[in-house]
Each structure stands twice: as C-alpha cells, then as structure tokens.
Amino acid sequence: MTAAQRVLLCPITMGLLLQSLFLLLLFLLGSCLHPAAAFPKGCYLSEEEGLKTFRCSNAQLTEVPRDIPNDTNKLYLDFNQIPFLPHDAFQHLPLLLELDLSHNAIARVESGAFQGLAEHLHSLDLSSNRLVSVSKDAFSNLKAKVNLSNNPWLCDCRLQELIRAVELAADSSGGIVCDSSTQEEHVGKAFLQVIADTDFCNVYKRTTDIAMLVTMFGWFAMVISYLVYYVRQNQEDARRHLEYLKSLPSKQRRSEESSTISTVV
C-alpha cells in the first residue's frame, strides 16, 4: 500500500470509528433512560392499537410496580398477588385509560389510591379479588366504569354507598354477591337485587337512633336512682339523729332539734 493510499484510508477509518462510538453512546443513553432491569420479570412494554401498553400479567407481583412509564395508556396487573392498593399508587400515570387489577389478592384499597386518574381513566377492573368492604372515598371523583364482581362482599350500608358512588361496568352488577350480610337472609344474593327491597343505610340509622335512645334512658335512670338514694340516705341520717336527740336531756334536745330541723330544711 502506497503512502497516498494510506493517507486516503486514514480519514475513512477515523470516520467509521467515530460513527461506531456515536452509536454506542446512543445505545448507552437509551439504556439509562429505559433500563430493562427497571421492569419486574414478566413485565414488558408494547403498543396496541396506537396505545402504549404496559403488561405485567401473571408476573407474581406482590405490589404495584414503581417504574411504570408515565405515558402508559393501558396497564395490566392481572393474575398477580397484590394484597392492597396504597395511597397515590397510580398518581404518576396521568394518561392512563385502562387499569386491570383483576385476579389478585386485593383486600384493602386506601383512600386516594386512584388519585390523579379521574381525568382520563375510563375502565377499572377489580374483579376476582378479596374485597369485603371499601369506602366510597377511595373512588372519589373517578369517572371510570368499575368492575367489582366476584369479591367476598359484606352487604351493608358501606357497600350501598360505594355502589351509588361509582358507575358499574356493563354486565358486572350481577357478580356483586353478598358473601356476608348484616341480615342473614341476604347471603348468596346479588346485592342490587337485595337493595331493591332493603335500604341498609336507613336500617343502620334506625339502629343507631335506638341505641342512642337506650343510652340516654340508661343515663337518665342512673341519675334518678342516685337522687332517690341520696334523698333516702339523708332521711335515714336525719331519723337516726332525731332518735339520738330524744335520748338527750330535754333542754339540750330542744336546742339540737332546732339545729337539725334547720339543717334538713
């Protein structure tokens, strides 16, 4: 190879080297921004019908992942072992449209668990979990259609308030069944069928009113009993004192009788 050829080849080699370094830098930068290790095993990103989807189905999760991309539109956390939803669990997902939490072990939903999702979320699936009782405040301002079927619900005023506060997903209402109830005859029945004839909140209010009346009557009876006891005790003490005075000489007796009578009066 001549000297002229080596001179021509040198810039080409340097250009290829710089290009390789640039591609390596882009790869490393991309790895830092979206590290594969940040996603739990079994979770992956995809695009479905033009929507960014994050799937963690059947990934043996015991909590909501923290590193979900904040531009996610659809999130699938179904068929895991998540036991509860903490406050602000999804607050960093402002563009979320669908959230599937079905077939988990969720028994508790903290107030504010869905905070930040009210604007866009239109589908929330909580079916086939372990929900017994949830405050309506946990779903405050949420406009999504909610699936609450196949949970061991306690049918009471709290569940009645929850059902009235959310919009149930189509064909899911029949799956909300009383696993237990404040009234035994409702167990095993669909909750919407039960509340067509029973207002749990009115029953609760009447029970509370009766309990308050009983409590007030009890206190009133205690006060009356104490007053009766106090009067009788004073009368008994006065009687004993008068008997004692009768046993004294007449002059001293009259003086102390006057003192006793004035004290009693």
Short mmCIF file of all heavy atoms in Angstrom, two decimals, residues 120-159:
data_model
loop_
_atom_site.label_atom_id
_atom_site.label_comp_id
_atom_site.label_asym_id
_atom_site.label_seq_id
_atom_site.Cartn_x
_atom_site.Cartn_y
_atom_site.Cartn_z
N HIS A 120 -58.79 10.88 32.89
CA HIS A 120 -58.73 10.07 31.67
C HIS A 120 -59.20 8.62 31.84
O HIS A 120 -59.67 8.02 30.88
CB HIS A 120 -57.29 10.04 31.13
CG HIS A 120 -56.80 11.38 30.69
ND1 HIS A 120 -56.09 12.23 31.53
CD2 HIS A 120 -56.91 12.04 29.52
CE1 HIS A 120 -55.80 13.33 30.89
NE2 HIS A 120 -56.27 13.26 29.66
N LEU A 121 -59.04 8.06 33.01
CA LEU A 121 -59.36 6.64 33.19
C LEU A 121 -60.82 6.35 32.88
O LEU A 121 -61.72 7.00 33.42
CB LEU A 121 -59.05 6.21 34.63
CG LEU A 121 -59.06 4.69 34.87
CD1 LEU A 121 -57.87 4.04 34.17
CD2 LEU A 121 -59.02 4.38 36.36
N HIS A 122 -61.06 5.36 32.01
CA HIS A 122 -62.45 5.02 31.69
C HIS A 122 -62.78 3.55 31.97
O HIS A 122 -63.93 3.14 31.82
CB HIS A 122 -62.77 5.36 30.22
CG HIS A 122 -61.98 4.60 29.21
ND1 HIS A 122 -62.16 3.26 28.96
CD2 HIS A 122 -60.99 5.01 28.38
CE1 HIS A 122 -61.34 2.86 28.01
NE2 HIS A 122 -60.61 3.91 27.64
N SER A 123 -61.79 2.76 32.41
CA SER A 123 -62.05 1.36 32.72
C SER A 123 -61.17 0.90 33.88
O SER A 123 -59.94 1.02 33.81
CB SER A 123 -61.79 0.48 31.49
OG SER A 123 -61.96 -0.88 31.80
N LEU A 124 -61.81 0.39 34.94
CA LEU A 124 -61.10 -0.11 36.13
C LEU A 124 -61.67 -1.47 36.51
O LEU A 124 -62.85 -1.59 36.82
CB LEU A 124 -61.26 0.87 37.29
CG LEU A 124 -60.73 0.41 38.66
CD1 LEU A 124 -59.24 0.12 38.60
CD2 LEU A 124 -61.03 1.46 39.72
N ASP A 125 -60.83 -2.50 36.46
CA ASP A 125 -61.27 -3.86 36.75
C ASP A 125 -60.68 -4.33 38.08
O ASP A 125 -59.47 -4.52 38.21
CB ASP A 125 -60.84 -4.80 35.63
CG ASP A 125 -61.55 -6.15 35.69
OD1 ASP A 125 -62.13 -6.47 36.75
OD2 ASP A 125 -61.53 -6.88 34.68
N LEU A 126 -61.54 -4.50 39.08
CA LEU A 126 -61.14 -5.01 40.40
C LEU A 126 -61.83 -6.34 40.69
O LEU A 126 -61.95 -6.74 41.85
CB LEU A 126 -61.50 -3.99 41.48
CG LEU A 126 -60.58 -2.76 41.59
CD1 LEU A 126 -61.23 -1.68 42.44
CD2 LEU A 126 -59.23 -3.15 42.18
N SER A 127 -62.27 -7.02 39.68
CA SER A 127 -62.99 -8.28 39.87
C SER A 127 -62.05 -9.38 40.36
O SER A 127 -60.83 -9.32 40.18
CB SER A 127 -63.64 -8.71 38.55
OG SER A 127 -62.67 -8.96 37.56
N SER A 128 -62.66 -10.37 41.01
CA SER A 128 -61.93 -11.56 41.48
C SER A 128 -60.76 -11.21 42.39
O SER A 128 -59.61 -11.63 42.18
CB SER A 128 -61.44 -12.39 40.29
OG SER A 128 -62.51 -12.80 39.49
N ASN A 129 -61.06 -10.41 43.42
CA ASN A 129 -60.09 -10.10 44.46
C ASN A 129 -60.65 -10.54 45.81
O ASN A 129 -61.48 -11.45 45.86
CB ASN A 129 -59.75 -8.61 44.44
CG ASN A 129 -58.68 -8.28 43.41
OD1 ASN A 129 -57.50 -8.50 43.63
ND2 ASN A 129 -59.10 -7.73 42.27
N ARG A 130 -60.22 -9.90 46.89
CA ARG A 130 -60.68 -10.27 48.24
C ARG A 130 -61.32 -9.09 48.96
O ARG A 130 -61.21 -8.97 50.18
CB ARG A 130 -59.51 -10.83 49.05
CG ARG A 130 -58.90 -12.09 48.44
CD ARG A 130 -57.71 -12.59 49.24
NE ARG A 130 -57.07 -13.73 48.59
CZ ARG A 130 -55.94 -14.30 49.02
NH1 ARG A 130 -55.33 -13.81 50.10
NH2 ARG A 130 -55.41 -15.31 48.36
N LEU A 131 -61.97 -8.24 48.20
CA LEU A 131 -62.59 -7.05 48.77
C LEU A 131 -63.84 -7.44 49.57
O LEU A 131 -64.74 -8.10 49.06
CB LEU A 131 -62.97 -6.07 47.66
CG LEU A 131 -61.79 -5.51 46.86
CD1 LEU A 131 -62.30 -4.70 45.68
CD2 LEU A 131 -60.91 -4.65 47.75
N VAL A 132 -63.88 -7.00 50.83
CA VAL A 132 -65.03 -7.23 51.70
C VAL A 132 -65.78 -5.92 51.93
O VAL A 132 -67.01 -5.87 51.89
CB VAL A 132 -64.58 -7.83 53.06
CG1 VAL A 132 -65.76 -7.96 54.02
CG2 VAL A 132 -63.91 -9.18 52.84
N SER A 133 -65.03 -4.86 52.16
CA SER A 133 -65.62 -3.55 52.42
C SER A 133 -64.64 -2.47 52.00
O SER A 133 -63.46 -2.53 52.35
CB SER A 133 -65.97 -3.41 53.90
OG SER A 133 -66.61 -2.17 54.16
N VAL A 134 -65.12 -1.48 51.22
CA VAL A 134 -64.28 -0.38 50.73
C VAL A 134 -65.06 0.92 50.87
O VAL A 134 -66.24 0.98 50.53
CB VAL A 134 -63.87 -0.58 49.26
CG1 VAL A 134 -63.00 0.58 48.79
CG2 VAL A 134 -63.13 -1.89 49.07
N SER A 135 -64.38 1.95 51.35
CA SER A 135 -65.03 3.25 51.48
C SER A 135 -65.24 3.87 50.10
O SER A 135 -64.40 3.74 49.21
CB SER A 135 -64.17 4.18 52.34
OG SER A 135 -64.67 5.50 52.29
N LYS A 136 -66.35 4.55 49.94
CA LYS A 136 -66.62 5.24 48.67
C LYS A 136 -65.58 6.32 48.40
O LYS A 136 -65.35 6.70 47.25
CB LYS A 136 -68.02 5.86 48.70
CG LYS A 136 -68.20 6.97 49.74
CD LYS A 136 -69.58 7.57 49.67
CE LYS A 136 -69.74 8.69 50.71
NZ LYS A 136 -71.07 9.32 50.64
N ASP A 137 -64.91 6.82 49.44
CA ASP A 137 -63.89 7.86 49.28
C ASP A 137 -62.70 7.38 48.45
O ASP A 137 -61.98 8.19 47.86
CB ASP A 137 -63.40 8.34 50.64
CG ASP A 137 -64.50 9.02 51.45
OD1 ASP A 137 -65.45 9.53 50.83
OD2 ASP A 137 -64.41 9.03 52.69
N ALA A 138 -62.49 6.06 48.41
CA ALA A 138 -61.38 5.51 47.62
C ALA A 138 -61.60 5.75 46.13
O ALA A 138 -60.64 5.76 45.35
CB ALA A 138 -61.22 4.02 47.90
N PHE A 139 -62.86 5.95 45.72
CA PHE A 139 -63.20 6.15 44.31
C PHE A 139 -63.65 7.59 44.05
O PHE A 139 -64.33 7.86 43.05
CB PHE A 139 -64.30 5.18 43.89
CG PHE A 139 -63.90 3.74 44.02
CD1 PHE A 139 -64.03 3.08 45.23
CD2 PHE A 139 -63.40 3.04 42.93
CE1 PHE A 139 -63.66 1.74 45.36
CE2 PHE A 139 -63.03 1.71 43.05
CZ PHE A 139 -63.16 1.06 44.27
N SER A 140 -63.28 8.49 44.93
CA SER A 140 -63.74 9.87 44.83
C SER A 140 -63.36 10.50 43.49
O SER A 140 -62.21 10.43 43.05
CB SER A 140 -63.13 10.68 45.98
OG SER A 140 -63.54 12.02 45.92
N ASN A 141 -64.36 11.11 42.83
CA ASN A 141 -64.20 11.83 41.55
C ASN A 141 -63.83 10.92 40.37
O ASN A 141 -63.56 11.42 39.28
CB ASN A 141 -63.15 12.93 41.66
CG ASN A 141 -63.52 13.97 42.70
OD1 ASN A 141 -64.68 14.37 42.80
ND2 ASN A 141 -62.54 14.42 43.47
N LEU A 142 -63.81 9.62 40.57
CA LEU A 142 -63.46 8.69 39.49
C LEU A 142 -64.65 8.50 38.56
O LEU A 142 -65.75 8.18 39.00
CB LEU A 142 -63.02 7.35 40.09
CG LEU A 142 -62.15 6.45 39.22
CD1 LEU A 142 -60.82 7.13 38.93
CD2 LEU A 142 -61.92 5.12 39.90
N LYS A 143 -64.42 8.70 37.26
CA LYS A 143 -65.50 8.58 36.28
C LYS A 143 -65.44 7.26 35.52
O LYS A 143 -66.27 7.00 34.64
CB LYS A 143 -65.44 9.75 35.30
CG LYS A 143 -65.62 11.12 35.94
CD LYS A 143 -65.52 12.23 34.92
CE LYS A 143 -65.74 13.60 35.55
NZ LYS A 143 -64.70 13.94 36.52
N ALA A 144 -64.48 6.43 35.81
CA ALA A 144 -64.30 5.16 35.10
C ALA A 144 -65.43 4.18 35.40
O ALA A 144 -66.05 4.23 36.46
CB ALA A 144 -62.96 4.54 35.49
N LYS A 145 -65.69 3.29 34.45
CA LYS A 145 -66.62 2.19 34.68
C LYS A 145 -65.87 1.11 35.46
O LYS A 145 -64.81 0.65 35.04
CB LYS A 145 -67.14 1.65 33.36
CG LYS A 145 -68.02 2.66 32.61
CD LYS A 145 -68.55 2.09 31.31
CE LYS A 145 -69.44 3.11 30.60
NZ LYS A 145 -69.97 2.59 29.33
N VAL A 146 -66.44 0.70 36.60
CA VAL A 146 -65.73 -0.16 37.54
C VAL A 146 -66.36 -1.55 37.60
O VAL A 146 -67.58 -1.68 37.67
CB VAL A 146 -65.73 0.47 38.95
CG1 VAL A 146 -64.90 -0.37 39.91
CG2 VAL A 146 -65.20 1.90 38.91
N ASN A 147 -65.50 -2.55 37.57
CA ASN A 147 -65.95 -3.94 37.72
C ASN A 147 -65.59 -4.41 39.12
O ASN A 147 -64.41 -4.54 39.46
CB ASN A 147 -65.28 -4.83 36.66
CG ASN A 147 -65.85 -6.24 36.65
OD1 ASN A 147 -66.50 -6.68 37.59
ND2 ASN A 147 -65.61 -6.97 35.57
N LEU A 148 -66.60 -4.67 39.95
CA LEU A 148 -66.40 -5.08 41.35
C LEU A 148 -66.90 -6.51 41.60
O LEU A 148 -67.05 -6.91 42.75
CB LEU A 148 -67.14 -4.12 42.28
CG LEU A 148 -66.68 -2.65 42.26
CD1 LEU A 148 -67.64 -1.79 43.07
CD2 LEU A 148 -65.26 -2.51 42.78
N SER A 149 -67.12 -7.26 40.55
CA SER A 149 -67.71 -8.59 40.68
C SER A 149 -66.74 -9.60 41.27
O SER A 149 -65.52 -9.40 41.29
CB SER A 149 -68.20 -9.08 39.32
OG SER A 149 -67.12 -9.18 38.40
N ASN A 150 -67.30 -10.70 41.78
CA ASN A 150 -66.53 -11.84 42.29
C ASN A 150 -65.57 -11.46 43.42
O ASN A 150 -64.39 -11.81 43.41
CB ASN A 150 -65.76 -12.53 41.16
CG ASN A 150 -66.68 -13.08 40.10
OD1 ASN A 150 -67.74 -13.63 40.40
ND2 ASN A 150 -66.30 -12.92 38.84
N ASN A 151 -66.10 -10.70 44.38
CA ASN A 151 -65.39 -10.39 45.62
C ASN A 151 -66.26 -10.84 46.79
O ASN A 151 -67.49 -10.88 46.67
CB ASN A 151 -65.11 -8.89 45.72
CG ASN A 151 -63.93 -8.45 44.86
OD1 ASN A 151 -62.78 -8.63 45.22
ND2 ASN A 151 -64.23 -7.88 43.69
N PRO A 152 -65.67 -11.18 47.93
CA PRO A 152 -66.46 -11.64 49.10
C PRO A 152 -67.08 -10.48 49.87
O PRO A 152 -66.74 -10.23 51.03
CB PRO A 152 -65.43 -12.38 49.94
CG PRO A 152 -64.14 -11.69 49.64
CD PRO A 152 -64.21 -11.31 48.18
N TRP A 153 -68.00 -9.77 49.26
CA TRP A 153 -68.55 -8.53 49.82
C TRP A 153 -69.38 -8.74 51.09
O TRP A 153 -70.13 -9.71 51.20
CB TRP A 153 -69.42 -7.82 48.79
CG TRP A 153 -68.67 -7.24 47.64
CD1 TRP A 153 -68.66 -7.68 46.35
CD2 TRP A 153 -67.78 -6.11 47.68
NE1 TRP A 153 -67.84 -6.91 45.58
CE2 TRP A 153 -67.28 -5.93 46.37
CE3 TRP A 153 -67.37 -5.25 48.68
CZ2 TRP A 153 -66.39 -4.91 46.04
CZ3 TRP A 153 -66.47 -4.24 48.36
CH2 TRP A 153 -66.00 -4.08 47.06
N LEU A 154 -69.23 -7.80 52.01
CA LEU A 154 -70.14 -7.67 53.16
C LEU A 154 -71.22 -6.69 52.74
O LEU A 154 -70.94 -5.52 52.47
CB LEU A 154 -69.40 -7.15 54.39
CG LEU A 154 -70.28 -6.64 55.55
CD1 LEU A 154 -71.12 -7.78 56.12
CD2 LEU A 154 -69.43 -6.00 56.64
N CYS A 155 -72.45 -7.16 52.67
CA CYS A 155 -73.55 -6.31 52.22
C CYS A 155 -74.07 -5.49 53.40
O CYS A 155 -74.71 -6.02 54.31
CB CYS A 155 -74.66 -7.16 51.61
SG CYS A 155 -74.18 -7.90 50.04
N ASP A 156 -73.76 -4.20 53.37
CA ASP A 156 -74.18 -3.29 54.42
C ASP A 156 -74.30 -1.88 53.84
O ASP A 156 -74.23 -1.69 52.62
CB ASP A 156 -73.20 -3.33 55.60
CG ASP A 156 -71.78 -2.92 55.18
OD1 ASP A 156 -71.56 -2.64 53.98
OD2 ASP A 156 -70.90 -2.87 56.05
N CYS A 157 -74.45 -0.90 54.71
CA CYS A 157 -74.61 0.48 54.26
C CYS A 157 -73.37 0.97 53.52
O CYS A 157 -73.48 1.73 52.54
CB CYS A 157 -74.89 1.38 55.47
SG CYS A 157 -75.07 3.13 55.07
N ARG A 158 -72.19 0.53 53.93
CA ARG A 158 -70.96 0.99 53.29
C ARG A 158 -70.91 0.55 51.83
O ARG A 158 -70.52 1.33 50.95
CB ARG A 158 -69.76 0.44 54.06
CG ARG A 158 -68.49 1.25 53.85
CD ARG A 158 -67.38 0.71 54.70
NE ARG A 158 -66.26 1.66 54.76
CZ ARG A 158 -65.02 1.31 55.02
NH1 ARG A 158 -64.73 0.05 55.25
NH2 ARG A 158 -64.06 2.21 55.07
N LEU A 159 -71.28 -0.70 51.56
CA LEU A 159 -71.29 -1.18 50.18
C LEU A 159 -72.37 -0.46 49.38
O LEU A 159 -72.16 -0.14 48.20
CB LEU A 159 -71.52 -2.69 50.15
CG LEU A 159 -71.58 -3.33 48.76
CD1 LEU A 159 -70.30 -3.07 47.98
CD2 LEU A 159 -71.84 -4.83 48.87
#
